[in-house]
Amino acid sequence: MIDRLERLLGRENVVSDPSALAAYDDDYSEVESVLPAAVVLPTTVPQVQAIVRFAGETGICLTPRVAGTNVGGLAIPTPRSIVVDFRRMNRVLEVYPDDRVAVIEPGVTQQQLKDHLDSLGLPLTFGFSLGPRRSSVLANCCLDGLHNRSLKYGAMGQSVSGFEVVLADGSLMRTGAWALSDIPFARSPLPDLSGLFVGWQGTTGLVTKVGFHLAHKHPFSERLFVLAYSVRGTFEAMRRLSRMEFCDDIGGLSWPTGKMMLGVTKPHPIADDGEPRFFLYVDLTAERPEQLVLKRQMLEDVLSELRQEGQRYEEPIGIETLVTLNPAMGAFASFPTDLGFLTDHPGGGLTWVGTYGPLSRFDDAAHEGIEVMVRHGFAPAIVSRSMKEGHFGVLRFLSLFDKKKPQEIEIVKRVNLELLHAMTARGFIMYKTPSWALREWLSHIDPGFLSMMRKVKTLLDPQGIFNPGKLLLPWPENEG
Amino acid sequence: MGDGEDKVSIDQPEQMNLLGLLLAGFLRKQLTHPRMARKAARIRGAYGIRAADMAITLTFTPETIRISKGFSKKTRARIFGSMEEMIALVAGSGSTIAAIIAVLEGRIHIRGNPFALLRLLPLMIKNVKVPAPVPAIPASPSVSPPGAGA
């Protein structure tokens, strides 16, 4: 197999040495590591097509990967499979300033795209995930992750305006307006085939390019933190501010997340009496300074109104002030936001149950999640954000653990399972869904939906070569 | 006193409140500046700080500043205020006069020995600037002008 791959791609683009392969066997999470048989690093689309044809001929499976920073095992290969490392396909191919559309390859990282846009001197930006700077923009599109523009635009898949994909037979397809137009300006008006590659977690094809919407970068901006003293006060503020549609981003970090940011890896599970329960953060942007002043006043009006209803908040504090107070807060002062405190800790393990759900149920869901985490001795680290003008939002429960301690791994697995059940019961759905969570859904998910997914999967990947097991497709009959 | 990281210790950091954690980072930054480190080395005893409902005690020895949760019984002086006022004091203009006006106007309250507080004041309000760390990120390998062909 290795000889054949080397002939197809050149020796320099194939990794087979076991010590080098070890870099591809895991991610941050508790999901078991698996060593691939080989890693290939294509640099061109024809090379990707050759890899897929080779996989089709031999039945060897393919797992796409860029930074390996997933928190659910989605880029962990299956045994005897090939990892397709896209880091060398890292070109920003097009930027259409007037249409605010970019076309990039899978290996383009958040930091790289930001630097590229900055170098062009154009007032353009894009939705940054909370992943590391080196994580892939395209992967966040395909996995429908969230980003700092999610309040306006929704999950990242909504920013996709077209894909170029290598299909199971090695052929190439473009989706959205790109099927007919040279500019991938929208997913409309043709049948929306882009959706076949969003949320499918790499199981339907290998995406080699994405066209997606950039956003205008306003010249004036402000990031404010509001210390809130209750779960209800946090999410009620989030709901009201979302409805008013003047904020760019509204999120909430629970007190343990704040403490982790300030250097405490494992905060005590119980908050002090009198301690704020959430850092509510609000991003405001404007074309003119007076517009920013007005938006700030609107924020303060909402807080005043809620105070009159009995909620308690401190006055908004600018991020610059917080950074002056404690330089560790600098992690939240720029984009991409680098939350190194979650990943660069002695134990190295990070796992979560990250869900999308209705904002109307955030209070109860957060209370229940906090109860589960505290019962297992974890500080309830929550990261939340309103999305799509408050139609829904993200509620994530984070656990740090020591990857070398099997006992801790077992505990985080139990915590995650309980959190998943609690959130699913409230109508929340885990995104970037790990296999263990999908298995839990089998008895709840709409059977018609499941059946259609199977048909689509069979159509697009008849041999099951694309990232098997990552959507439990094809499901064994006795499970489905 | 110097090398901020080593000279500021937190009692039971996993149980420390947000006020103590915020101030720990602030003091570590302050102590990186030799002038501030010298001023801190001259302060002795315990001082209480309360913002909103969170209280901490700073205990100064020639070698270290220890931060503990709550008020110790032996504080030389205590400062109270809303979170807003305390943040304005610490991260504000750095003016001693502004701090005294805040006390006279009743926005900040003090108890205990006000002269002892005068020694503490410069360390707490005269912000030193530290250069922001530059992330080690490789530059974009491909920069194409707008509209360039794929």
Side-chain angles (χ1 to χ4, degrees):
Chain A
M1 176 179 80
I2 302 298
D3 287 348
R4 181 104 187 263
L5 287 171
E6 287 180 352
R7 277 201 301 279
L8 284 172
L9 305 171
R11 185 169 286 183
E12 69 282 7
N13 293 325
V14 179
V15 177
S16 58
D17 176 56
S19 59
L21 292 177
Y24 293 89
D25 72 350
D26 70 352
D27 59 13
Y28 291 128
S29 73
E30 77 286 4
V31 177
E32 265 180 51
S33 59
V34 177
L35 206 63
V39 174
V40 291
L41 296 104
T43 55
T44 65
V45 173
Q47 285 184 346
V48 178
Q49 291 175 287
I51 293 163
V52 171
R53 287 193 187 106
F54 171 76
E57 284 169 29
T58 57
I60 293 172
C61 302
L62 303 172
T63 297
R65 184 175 174 118
V66 181
T69 53
N70 182 247
V71 192
L74 299 183
I76 295 179
T78 44
R80 296 177 297 284
S81 65
I82 297 171
V83 168
V84 184
D85 181 340
F86 277 107
R87 278 181 295 178
R88 292 182 186 168
M89 288 179 70
N90 62 351
R91 291 176 303 161
V92 179
L93 297 167
E94 300 272 8
V95 174
Y96 300 97
D98 290 340
D99 307 306
R100 282 170 286 131
V101 168
V103 178
I104 60 169
E105 291 185 321
V108 172
T109 67
Q110 299 202 83
Q111 185 67 45
Q112 184 190 340
L113 184 56
K114 178 184 184 299
D115 291 344
H116 185 94
L117 295 174
D118 288 350
S119 74
L120 297 177
L122 299 167
L124 292 172
T125 185
F126 64 100
F128 294 95
S129 80
L130 284 174
R133 296 168 193 273
R134 68 178 192 281
S135 57
S136 160
V137 177
L138 181 145
N140 203 37
C141 290
C142 291
L143 294 172
D144 218 8
L146 61 145
H147 57 96
N148 71 307
R149 300 267 166 172
S150 285
L151 179 61
K152 188 169 180 185
Y153 301 107
M156 191 76 172
Q158 298 295 311
S159 298
V160 170
S161 53
F163 284 125
E164 179 189 86
V165 189
V166 176
L167 300 170
D169 61 358
S171 63
L172 209 55
M173 176 179 81
R174 284 187 172 180
T175 68
W178 217 0
L180 206 54
S181 168
D182 58 326
I183 299 179
F185 57 83
R187 284 166 76 157
S188 305
L190 300 171
D192 184 14
L193 298 188
S194 301
L196 294 171
F197 308 95
V198 174
W200 283 83
Q201 311 198 148
T203 63
T204 47
L206 290 185
V207 177
T208 47
K209 291 185 185 77
V210 62
F212 71 104
H213 292 156
L214 302 169
H216 176 69
K217 189 174 178 182
H218 297 284
F220 299 96
S221 65
E222 194 169 21
R223 168 164 281 195
L224 297 158
F225 280 79
V226 178
L227 299 180
Y229 285 84
S230 70
V231 169
R232 163 114 182 117
T234 301
F235 296 127
E236 189 53 33
M238 200 182 270
R239 284 186 285 267
R240 290 195 196 182
L241 291 167
S242 299
R243 282 199 292 271
M244 295 173 75
E245 299 186 6
F246 68 93
C247 305
D248 282 48
D249 192 9
I250 309 166
L253 309 174
S254 65
W255 56 269
T257 320
K259 288 186 177 184
M260 287 174 181
M261 201 182 333
L262 295 172
V264 182
T265 304
K266 286 198 171 177
H268 191 269
I270 309 293
D272 260 13
D273 286 341
E275 205 169 21
R277 294 306 193 262
F278 271 85
F279 288 77
L280 191 66
Y281 67 87
V282 179
D283 284 350
L284 304 175
T285 59
E287 280 299 297
R288 297 172 55 152
E290 53 269 41
Q291 191 185 4
L292 203 58
V293 171
L294 178 62
K295 286 185 172 187
R296 170 80 182 249
Q297 185 57 53
M298 290 167 76
L299 166 66
E300 288 177 359
D301 289 349
V302 169
L303 295 177
S304 296
E305 186 181 283
L306 286 162
R307 282 193 192 102
Q308 283 170 12
E309 294 170 22
Q311 298 300 334
R312 184 179 167 204
Y313 310 93
E314 297 296 338
E315 290 300 319
I317 309 163
I319 184 67
E320 296 80 9
T321 303
L322 280 173
V323 174
T324 302
L325 199 56
N326 191 317
M329 295 298 290
F332 250 85
S334 61
F335 297 110
T337 301
D338 191 348
L339 302 184
F341 62 94
L342 292 176
T343 50
D344 304 331
H345 62 93
L350 166 67
T351 185
W352 71 26
V353 169
T355 59
Y356 291 161
L359 242 58
S360 60
R361 297 183 184 170
F362 264 40
D363 310 25
D364 289 347
H367 278 300
E368 192 155 354
I370 289 168
E371 188 278 322
V372 169
M373 294 190 79
V374 171
R375 181 155 41 78
H376 286 280
F378 282 88
I382 299 175
V383 175
S384 62
R385 176 180 257 158
S386 178
M387 298 169 74
K388 201 75 176 168
E389 306 295 12
H391 291 298
F392 70 107
V394 63
L395 198 56
R396 298 198 284 201
F397 301 90
L398 306 161
S399 304
L400 303 188
F401 64 98
D402 190 333
K403 293 188 88 168
K404 293 188 189 73
K405 294 184 177 167
Q407 211 173 350
E408 271 193 38
I409 291 173
E410 285 311 306
I411 294 171
V412 295
K413 282 182 178 176
R414 273 206 301 279
V415 171
N416 279 354
L417 196 58
E418 283 189 41
L419 285 169
L420 180 79
H421 286 164
M423 295 305 116
T424 306
R426 294 188 179 281
F428 285 63
I429 300 171
M430 197 167 177
Y431 67 100
K432 297 186 181 177
T433 323
S435 297
W436 64 265
L438 288 156
R439 222 170 285 128
E440 296 297 318
W441 285 349
L442 283 176
S443 56
H444 313 307
I445 201 162
D446 175 71
F449 179 84
L450 189 60
S451 167
M452 183 55 74
M453 273 184 76
R454 283 177 170 162
K455 287 174 189 162
V456 171
K457 170 70 177 176
T458 305
L459 180 71
L460 289 178
D461 185 19
Q463 290 176 272
I465 58 170
F466 291 128
N467 215 11
K470 301 306 190 295
L471 258 184
L472 290 179
L473 288 169
W475 274 288
E477 286 307 315
N478 59 356
E479 281 189 84
Chain B
M1 209 182 271
D3 296 317
E5 190 74 29
D6 302 324
K7 301 298 179 185
V8 178
S9 66
I10 303 174
D11 281 353
Q12 296 182 293
E14 68 283 357
Q15 302 213 16
M16 179 50 66
N17 58 35
L18 286 167
L19 176 65
L21 294 174
L22 279 169
L23 280 181
F26 176 75
L27 289 169
R28 283 178 183 135
K29 183 192 70 170
Q30 294 290 82
L31 294 184
T32 57
H33 196 284
R35 184 167 51 87
M36 283 299 168
R38 282 195 300 275
K39 282 182 187 294
R42 288 198 289 269
I43 304 172
R44 297 286 184 278
Y47 297 82
I49 299 177
R50 185 182 193 106
D53 292 335
M54 294 179 284
I56 58 160
T57 300
L58 304 177
T59 305
F60 289 81
T61 68
E63 293 79 32
T64 62
I65 305 172
R66 196 176 80 239
I67 305 178
S68 40
K69 196 164 76 176
F71 282 156
S72 107
K73 286 178 184 166
K74 294 181 181 169
T75 51
R76 299 182 74 187
R78 294 179 182 184
I79 314 172
F80 305 79
S82 67
M83 185 65 90
E84 186 186 8
E85 289 298 340
M86 295 303 269
I87 287 176
L89 180 74
V90 173
S93 66
S95 151
T96 306
I97 300 214
I100 291 169
I101 289 172
V103 172
L104 292 174
E105 289 183 347
R107 289 179 280 123
I108 299 276
H109 304 275
I110 57 172
R111 279 191 204 149
N113 182 350
F115 297 105
L117 274 179
L118 283 176
R119 287 213 144 190
L120 178 65
L121 204 54
L123 179 66
M124 299 302 287
I125 69 170
K126 301 283 184 191
N127 258 302
V128 299
K129 298 275 186 289
V130 287
V134 178
I137 301 295
S140 166
S142 126
V143 176
S144 61

